[in-house]
């Protein structure tokens, strides 16, 4: 039985894109990020998502106006799709359609039932469904990554090919007069034309021609209605420009006279029709003219979106890290009236710092806000700043917009997670090259948010472990083959204390010579996070949003959640150590820090264990590190003959269990001040690779551990016997990729994660020979492999964290 979830103060997160919270009494928080496809269903009913996390409604504010996010990297678990959803399009009746990597276009009448509209070759990059304007004939358009795969299906008849030579990347359909006008742009190199096709009132599909002018890949379309007889279509391109095309039912009258010719930038007469689209008699043709060319961005224009109610206002996004709001002047030209985002600094850099710009931007309902999607998956929400609240009727578009908050999260598989002994926050690491810190927020009734990004790396980070002396340290490793040690600066701890309600104690700085650094930064031409006083940090292009704390003179106010750029620059942890020696990529790390959760008086020196990829017994040794000196004090060899995938300390910190690819279970003795040794080795502990193991933390019995394997079995081992004996076999039915025992007062709880994304919680019997299922088939679970599960220490009611290949981090509350 699950505890009812709390509503997030600012936002929650969803399965491989963005943030959301469900109302099905199961999930407290899901953290992840969004990529590319964002659509705003202004006509949908208000409310929260009821379970489908790939297409989830996100509550933006107290009015709960929803957003639908099309996840570009999420494997779905319901509906007719058999592969990842790649795009989503909202329909006027409140339903929506999706296109997937399986080539299918599906119509969702609600969040559980679907029907297939079309199936094409290749991945569906964009899709549309509607009817012809005057005869209401159903039409479905699907664009594909396959040459010749983009199709138009009229009234469920045989599909017609849009282009046999091109890969169609973006699509827009404009109903005008009796026609459906289809504009498409190709992803084929050196093809920068906009192809125009139509479906007439009888349902006949035909190609009309092309619009020329763009000098690079066209990325997006948007349209607005000017009158009953004309519409405006915007096209954004990688040539840094946005072009506005006017579609008029009657041919335009030239503003030029033979004696006063005006030539535009493309060499055409100003006002000259670039394309004429015929209609059936007696209807006049539709002419297409170039209305304006918007020049203002310094990098690729990734999207454009007209204002929902103002036809002369356009929003554009760019890889130059800005959003521009354009408005038409009385003379017909368009000028930027507002700039959003951060345009300063060096373009490029680590994706973890989100220095690569915005991939998409949309208006919130009625234009009362803007959402921008960053390249790293973040969603930033801006609201207008008016002199009065509410704004006066007919208020102009303001030049100042306030960044209300940013929804952030991982945008690649999350490989590992861990709680520190205090349990105040959660650390995660991912293939997106970052390590992130999550904490419950005081203003959101226990909801969680990303409050820090301790590490932004150049390599995939696949393993981490918390360290406890000094407090608030972590070790991470991955493909770099090097283990790095990070220490939390004072500003990060104050942020957690202010927003997360963490109590900063007097011994926080114990063991740190000279005290903690104020903040960490990456110096110019540097690769490691360095420490320094805030006054000496030269980041002039970033505004310091920290104000003075009440009663003090320090810059420590953190009243709002940090934005994406602030997370990537201001919340880093100081790198205090680096340890190398492994020949292969780091696979797993383990420390004795959590021993303190069982025994608060535990004061043994901090020890870190590491294992890497290996193919033979010589390189499969487990390294023992003294993190106080960053020295390898011993190598545990002779136990394994291949890669070690999992390590765990027992509660006393004197024994370590290990297992991995060779299917051996090894027990090692780590006496304090003594020489480590192999205590026991079980050959063939499982029939397939062992992915995970953990010790039971029951105070009365700390000699039992559990192992999980690809063979679909979980075994409970009694390590007081020599050799260790399996006293219980649990058949899960599919590969077990993650498991963890609970802390006191619920040490008998055993959480399991599987290859398909399922999570279940078992209650192990007092004799370890039986179990009962406490929780299974949890809704809103992971859609891909679960990589790690961990219980949160120090909680009266158990909370479980999980992460997986679907980019998601989930927090579960268990009754």
């Amino acid at each position: 039985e699950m505890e009812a979830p709390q509503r997030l103060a600012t936002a929650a997160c969803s399965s491989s894109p963005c943030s959301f919270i469900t109302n099905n009494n199961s999930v407290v928080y899901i953290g992840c990020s969004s990529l590319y496809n964002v659509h705003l269903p202004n006509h949908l009913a208000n409310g929260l998502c009821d379970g489908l996390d790939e297409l989830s409604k996100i509550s933006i504010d107290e009015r709960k106006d929803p957003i639908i996010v099309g996840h570009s990297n999420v494997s779905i678990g319901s509906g007719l799709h058999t592969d990842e959803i790649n795009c989503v399009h909202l329909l006027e009746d409140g339903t929506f359609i999706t296109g997937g990597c399986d080539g299918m276009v599906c119509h969702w009448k609600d969040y559980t039932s679907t029907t297939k509209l079309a199936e094409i070759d290749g991945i569906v990059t964009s899709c549309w469904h509607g009817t012809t304007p005057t005869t209401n004939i159903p039409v479905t358009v699907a664009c594909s990554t396959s040459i010749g795969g983009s199709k138009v299906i009229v009234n469920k008849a045989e599909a017609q090919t849009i282009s046999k030579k091109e890969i169609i990347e973006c699509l827009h359909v404009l109903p005008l007069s009796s026609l459906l006008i289809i504009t498409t742009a190709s992803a084929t190199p050196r093809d920068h034309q906009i192809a125009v096709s139509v479906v007439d009132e009888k349902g006949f599909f035909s190609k009309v021609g092309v619009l020329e002018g763009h000098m690079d890949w066209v990325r997006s379309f948007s349209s607005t209605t000017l009158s009953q007889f004309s519409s405006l279509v915007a096209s954004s391109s990688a040539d840094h420009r946005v072009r506005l095309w006017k579609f008029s039912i009657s041919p335009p009258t030239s503003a030029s006279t033979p004696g006063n010719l005006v030539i535009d930038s493309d060499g055409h007469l100003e006002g000259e029709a670039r394309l004429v689209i015929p209609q059936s008699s007696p209807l006049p043709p539709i002419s297409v003219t170039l209305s304006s060319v918007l020049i203002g961005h310094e990098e690729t224009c990734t999207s454009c979106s007209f204002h929902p109610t103002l036809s002369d206002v356009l929003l554009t996004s760019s890889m130059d890290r800005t959003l521009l709001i354009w408005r038409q002047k009385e003379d017909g030209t368009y000028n930027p009236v507002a700039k959003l985002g951060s345009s300063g600094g060096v373009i490029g850099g680590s994706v973890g710092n989100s220095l690569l710009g915005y991939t998409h931007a949309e208006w919130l309902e009625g234009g009362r806000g803007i959402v921008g999607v960053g390249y790293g998956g973040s969603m930033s929400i801006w609201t207008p700043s008016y002199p009065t609240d509410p704004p006066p009727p007919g208020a102009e578009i303001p030049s100042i917009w306030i960044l209300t908050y940013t929804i952030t999260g991982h945008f690649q598989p999350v490989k590992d997670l861990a709680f520190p002994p205090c349990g105040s926050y959660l650390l995660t690491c991912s293939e997106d090259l970052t390590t992130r810190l999550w904490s419950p927020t005081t203003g959101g009734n226990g909801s969680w948010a990303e409050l820090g990004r301790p590490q932004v790396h150049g390599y995939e980070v696949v393993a981490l472990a918390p360290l406890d002396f000094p407090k608030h340290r972590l070790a991470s490793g991955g493909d770099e083959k090097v283990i790095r040690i990070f220490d939390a600066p004072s500003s990060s701890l104050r942020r957690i204390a202010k927003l997360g309600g963490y109590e900063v104690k007097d011994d926080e700085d114990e063991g740190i010579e000279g005290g903690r650094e104020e903040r960490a930064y990456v110096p110019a031409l540097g690769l490691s996070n360095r420490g320094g006083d805030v006054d000496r940090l030269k980041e002039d292009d970033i505004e310091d949003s920290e104000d003075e704390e009440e009663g003090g003179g320090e810059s420590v106010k953190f009243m709002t959640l940090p934005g994406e750029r602030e997370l990537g620059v201001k919340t880093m942890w100081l790198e205090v150590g680096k340890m190398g020696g492994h020949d292969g990529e780091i696979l797993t790390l383990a420390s004795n820090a959590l021993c303190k959760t069982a025994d608060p008086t535990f004061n043994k020196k901090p020890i870190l264990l590491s294992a890497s990829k290996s193919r033979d017994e010589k390189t499969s040794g487990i390294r023992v590190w003294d993190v106080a000196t960053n020295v390898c004090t011993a190598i545990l060899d002779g136990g394994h003959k291949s890669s070690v995938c999992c390590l765990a300390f027992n509660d006393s910190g004197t024994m370590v269990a290990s297992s991995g690819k060779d299917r051996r279970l090894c027990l090692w003795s780590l006496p304090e001040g003594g020489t480590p040794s192999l205590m026991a080795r079980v050959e063939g502990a499982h029939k397939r690779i062992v992915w995970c193991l953990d010790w039971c933390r029951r105070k009365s019995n700390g000699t039992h551990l559990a192992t999980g394997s690809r063979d679909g079995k979980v075994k409970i081992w009694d390590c007081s016997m020599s050799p260790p004996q399996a006293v219980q076999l649990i058949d899960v039915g599919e590969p077990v990729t993650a498991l963890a025992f609970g802390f006191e007062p619920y040490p008998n709880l055993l959480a399991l994660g599987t290859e398909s994304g399922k999570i279940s919680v078992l209650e192990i019997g007092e004799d370890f020979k039986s179990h009962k299922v406490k929780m299974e088939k949890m809704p809103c679970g992971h859609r891909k492999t679960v990589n790690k599960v961990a219980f949160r220490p120090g909680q009266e009611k158990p909370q479980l964290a999980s992460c997986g290949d679907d980019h998601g981090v989930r927090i579960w509350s268990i009754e």
Side-chain angles (χ1 to χ4, degrees):
E1 184 176 333
M2 305 300 299
E3 183 184 49
Q6 309 279 342
R7 182 177 181 272
L8 292 182
T10 55
C13 285
S14 125
S15 93
S16 174
C18 188
S19 288
F20 88 114
I21 191 165
T22 66
N23 59 357
N24 49 27
N25 296 335
S26 57
V27 183
V28 171
Y29 183 72
I30 301 179
C32 221
S33 65
S34 160
L35 285 179
Y36 310 131
N37 298 309
V38 177
H39 299 265
L40 307 184
N42 299 329
H43 48 271
L44 287 183
N46 295 335
L48 300 177
C49 173
D50 59 355
L52 182 63
D53 48 346
E54 287 81 13
L55 296 168
S56 51
K57 287 182 279 185
I58 303 161
S59 178
I60 294 301
D61 60 14
E62 294 301 329
R63 286 172 284 185
K64 302 186 180 69
D65 297 293
I67 289 179
I68 281 192
V69 179
H71 298 221
S72 60
N73 287 298
V74 181
S75 186
I76 72 163
S78 57
L80 296 177
H81 285 289
T82 58
D83 207 336
E84 299 172 354
I85 292 176
N86 195 56
C87 58
V88 59
H89 177 75
L90 300 168
L91 306 182
E92 292 183 356
D93 61 0
T95 62
F96 52 90
I97 62 174
T98 56
C101 294
D102 52 10
M104 285 199 296
V105 177
C106 295
H107 181 203
W108 298 74
K109 296 181 180 178
D110 53 39
Y111 290 94
T112 56
S113 62
T114 58
T115 57
K116 184 170 72 172
L117 293 177
E119 188 168 4
I120 62 176
D121 295 330
I123 296 172
V124 180
T125 57
S126 56
C127 55
W128 183 92
H129 179 73
T131 60
T132 54
T134 57
T135 53
N136 294 325
I137 299 174
V139 177
T140 301
V141 185
C143 295
S144 169
T145 57
S146 172
I147 294 179
S150 300
K151 304 288 185 181
V152 174
I153 298 94
V154 180
N155 205 15
K156 299 183 179 180
E158 183 178 353
Q160 302 178 67
T161 302
I162 295 178
S163 175
K164 295 182 179 179
K165 300 180 181 180
E166 298 172 348
I167 299 172
I168 305 300
E169 179 66 19
C170 62
L171 156 77
H172 186 75
V173 180
L174 172 68
L176 184 60
S177 188
S178 65
L179 303 179
L180 283 180
I181 303 174
I182 304 171
T183 57
T184 57
S186 170
T188 306
R190 295 179 297 279
D191 185 357
H192 312 138
Q193 298 174 333
I194 298 172
V196 181
S197 308
V198 297
V199 176
D200 65 18
E201 70 276 11
K202 297 181 180 179
F204 294 119
F205 169 76
S206 60
K207 304 170 187 177
V208 178
V210 296
L211 297 173
E212 297 181 334
H214 282 297
M215 303 301 293
D216 208 334
W217 178 22
V218 177
R219 298 292 304 273
S220 174
F221 294 109
S222 182
S223 67
T224 187
T225 300
L226 300 178
S227 69
Q228 182 182 356
F229 307 103
S230 63
S231 294
L232 201 61
V233 175
S235 58
S236 61
S237 169
D239 62 8
H240 311 178
R241 290 166 170 77
V242 177
R243 289 175 176 259
L244 302 182
W245 310 90
K246 186 176 182 180
F247 287 68
S248 305
I249 293 179
S250 58
T253 57
S254 177
S256 303
T257 63
N260 184 26
L261 295 179
V262 179
I263 307 298
D264 63 20
S265 59
D266 296 334
H268 293 265
L269 289 176
E270 187 173 308
E272 177 186 359
R274 300 295 184 92
L275 185 66
V276 176
I277 305 172
Q279 296 193 85
S280 58
S281 181
L283 296 176
I286 297 174
S287 60
V288 186
T289 58
L290 179 64
S291 176
S292 295
V293 179
L294 310 187
I295 303 175
H297 286 293
E298 299 176 357
E299 283 291 332
T300 297
C301 293
T302 53
S303 74
C304 53
S305 177
F306 277 103
H307 194 280
T309 59
L310 302 174
S311 61
D312 61 345
V313 177
L314 179 69
L315 171 67
T316 59
S317 65
S318 171
M319 295 301 283
D320 64 7
R321 299 204 305 273
T322 64
L323 309 179
L324 291 180
I325 301 176
W326 305 77
R327 187 151 200 180
Q328 189 178 28
K329 298 173 63 177
E330 292 182 358
D331 61 1
T333 61
Y334 281 78
N335 284 347
V337 295
K339 177 185 286 189
L340 290 69
S342 302
S343 58
V346 179
I347 300 296
S350 171
V351 175
N353 274 335
S354 283
L355 302 182
L356 294 177
Y358 294 95
T359 63
H360 198 87
E362 285 282 359
W363 296 94
L364 296 179
E365 183 178 2
R368 61 176 182 79
I370 290 172
V371 55
V373 181
Y375 185 87
S378 64
M379 291 182 66
S380 300
I381 312 296
W382 287 270
T383 54
S385 176
Y386 290 105
T388 61
D389 188 21
E396 293 291 318
I397 297 293
S399 59
I400 300 176
W401 290 69
I402 306 300
L403 179 61
T404 309
Y405 50 79
T406 302
I407 303 169
T408 62
H410 289 292
F411 57 92
Q412 291 294 332
V414 187
K415 307 305 289 186
D416 200 0
L417 59 75
F419 287 100
C422 63
S424 299
Y425 52 84
L426 174 68
L427 297 166
T428 61
C429 64
S430 167
E431 291 181 1
D432 65 8
L433 318 183
T434 65
T435 300
R436 308 195 185 210
L437 183 151
W438 311 81
S439 174
T441 57
T442 55
N445 296 322
S447 58
W448 290 64
E450 183 184 356
L451 297 187
R453 203 160 294 176
Q455 182 183 14
V456 178
H457 203 27
Y459 291 85
E460 294 178 358
V461 187
V462 301
L464 62 79
L467 304 174
D468 189 55
F469 188 82
K471 292 183 176 181
H472 309 296
R473 284 194 173 182
L474 73 90
S476 69
D479 290 354
E480 189 188 15
K481 306 178 185 179
V482 172
I483 302 167
R484 295 177 183 267
I485 309 297
F486 296 89
D487 182 46
S490 298
S491 59
S492 292
L493 296 183
R494 291 199 303 273
R495 184 187 301 276
I496 300 171
K498 195 73 175 182
L499 292 176
Y502 172 71
E503 182 182 355
V504 179
K505 300 179 181 179
D506 295 337
D507 62 348
E508 297 292 338
D509 297 346
E510 184 179 348
I512 302 178
E513 185 177 352
R516 293 186 184 274
E517 293 282 1
E518 174 61 26
R519 222 174 89 192
Y521 71 104
V522 178
L525 305 179
L527 299 176
S528 300
N529 302 354
R530 302 299 181 191
D533 186 78
V534 174
D535 295 334
R536 294 188 289 109
L537 300 179
K538 296 184 179 179
E539 297 165 348
D540 298 332
D541 61 310
I542 301 177
E543 294 182 3
D544 196 337
S545 64
E546 304 167 359
D547 297 328
E548 293 187 358
E549 186 179 27
E550 293 181 10
E554 296 178 289
S555 174
V556 293
K557 176 196 165 193
F558 308 100
M559 296 305 295
T560 60
L561 296 180
E564 176 72 11
R565 187 170 176 81
E566 188 177 2
L567 284 168
V569 175
K570 293 186 178 182
T571 66
M572 293 182 296
W573 286 19
L574 173 68
E575 184 177 321
V576 295
K578 183 166 62 176
M579 303 178 293
H582 284 288
D583 295 326
E585 295 86 347
I586 306 296
L587 283 180
T588 183
L589 297 173
S591 76
N592 60 354
L594 290 179
C595 296
K596 201 166 187 177
T597 60
D599 181 9
T601 63
F602 182 86
N603 60 357
K604 295 181 181 179
K605 68 177 182 179
I607 296 176
L608 179 70
L609 303 179
S610 63
S612 64
K613 291 182 180 179
S614 61
R615 296 184 178 180
D616 51 46
E617 187 172 349
K618 181 180 179 181
T619 57
S620 61
I622 302 167
R623 290 182 175 262
V624 182
W625 303 91
D626 180 353
V627 294
T629 59
N630 297 333
V631 172
C632 178
T633 60
I635 298 178
L636 308 182
D637 52 17
H640 293 281
K641 56 183 179 181
S642 189
S643 298
V644 175
C645 299
C646 46
L647 295 164
F649 278 90
N650 70 345
D651 273 353
S652 64
T654 59
M655 192 185 308
V656 171
S658 62
S659 193
K661 192 174 181 180
D662 59 5
R663 297 168 292 156
R664 290 178 175 177
L665 173 62
C666 294
L667 298 182
W668 308 85
S669 173
L670 266 70
E672 187 174 11
T675 302
S677 62
L678 179 64
M679 295 175 57
R681 182 173 65 194
V682 180
E683 296 283 352
H686 285 269
K687 295 181 180 179
R688 302 289 298 276
I689 183 173
V690 180
W691 287 118
C692 49
L693 58 80
D694 195 21
W695 290 88
C696 178
R697 298 181 176 88
R698 190 189 303 172
K699 290 182 178 180
S700 60
N701 189 324
T703 60
H704 286 73
L705 64 83
T707 56
S709 168
R710 189 172 180 79
D711 62 10
K713 305 293 192 299
V714 171
K715 290 185 178 182
I716 307 296
W717 300 84
D718 184 353
C719 298
S720 64
M721 305 174 69
S722 183
Q725 297 294 317
V727 296
Q728 183 179 176
L729 175 66
I730 304 171
D731 188 356
V732 180
E734 61 174 308
V736 180
T737 54
L739 62 78
F741 274 105
F743 296 92
E744 292 284 358
Y746 38 86
N748 288 1
L749 293 186
L750 177 63
L752 307 177
T754 66
E755 190 175 53
S756 68
K758 295 179 182 178
I759 291 179
S760 57
V761 177
L762 311 179
E763 187 170 357
I764 305 300
E766 292 294 327
D767 60 355
F768 293 96
K769 297 181 180 180
S770 62
H771 73 276
K772 63 179 181 180
V773 177
K774 188 171 181 66
M775 185 177 67
E776 65 176 351
K777 298 180 180 178
M778 300 189 305
C780 296
H782 292 277
R783 302 304 186 186
K784 290 186 177 181
T785 301
V786 178
N787 292 319
K788 191 68 176 288
V789 292
F791 282 92
R792 184 184 179 190
Q795 304 300 303
E796 293 183 2
K797 295 182 178 180
Q799 284 191 341
L800 177 70
S802 63
C803 65
D805 280 350
D806 61 356
H807 315 176
V809 178
R810 287 161 167 73
I811 309 292
W812 312 83
S813 184
I814 306 170
E815 285 289 337

